[in-house]
Amino acid sequence: MARPDRTRGDEGRFAYEGLDRVIHEKARLSVLTSLVAHPKGLAFSELKSFCGLTDGNLSRHLHVLEEAGLVAISKGYERNRPQTFCRVTLVGRQRYLDYLAVLERVVRDAAAAARATPGLAGRHGLKPA
């Protein structure tokens, strides 16, 4: 098999260092997407519903995101019932947007590879960008 041509500057071209490991996990990506879409924040129960997570899973992922400074969690009462409220922080919003920019590059690169390899797009469901 022939080796692909490599030009200078290609080293690490597909490393995608900006794919933030804290965000890249499916459940945390779901949580952040929900919170970015609702900048005023969401009650824990609403967030749980949007993300399709159990109480325990959501709690664990929120803890990781809070430790990383991506979300803020506040506890209070609504109608004499305890309520946990979650919102994305400014740092969290920026890291999420930076992550999306890298993810968009991954999609563009995959689409370009599909265009360059006849039949690849149809076999793998990739559509040219």
Side-chain angles (χ1 to χ4, degrees), residues 2-63:
R3 296 182 77 192
D5 291 335
R6 296 191 91 199
T7 59
R8 281 202 249 181
D10 276 351
E11 193 69 33
R13 167 73 176 97
F14 300 110
Y16 305 114
E17 295 297 326
L19 287 178
D20 190 320
R21 286 181 147 311
V22 171
I23 298 171
H24 198 65
E25 199 285 327
K26 178 183 163 190
R28 290 192 289 269
L29 179 58
S30 175
V31 168
L32 281 175
T33 300
S34 298
L35 293 176
V36 167
H38 297 88
K40 291 183 179 182
L42 291 167
F44 184 91
S45 59
E46 294 172 307
L47 188 55
K48 180 177 126 179
S49 176
F50 279 128
C51 299
L53 297 170
T54 64
D55 287 355
N57 281 337
L58 180 54
S59 291
R60 178 65 188 126
H61 289 296
L62 283 172
H63 178 74

Side-chain angles (χ1 to χ4, degrees), residues 77 105 125:
Y77 288 88
R105 197 172 94 222

Side-chain angles (χ1 to χ4, degrees), residues 48-93:
K48 180 177 126 179
S49 176
F50 279 128
C51 299
L53 297 170
T54 64
D55 287 355
N57 281 337
L58 180 54
S59 291
R60 178 65 188 126
H61 289 296
L62 283 172
H63 178 74
V64 170
L65 292 168
E66 185 180 39
E67 289 285 311
L70 304 181
V71 300
I73 299 171
S74 58
K75 296 185 184 271
Y77 288 88
E78 185 174 295
R79 294 182 227 158
N80 282 340
R81 295 187 66 176
Q83 184 174 45
T84 301
F85 195 75
C86 312
R87 67 174 178 75
V88 68
T89 64
L90 291 175
V91 169
R93 178 176 168 72

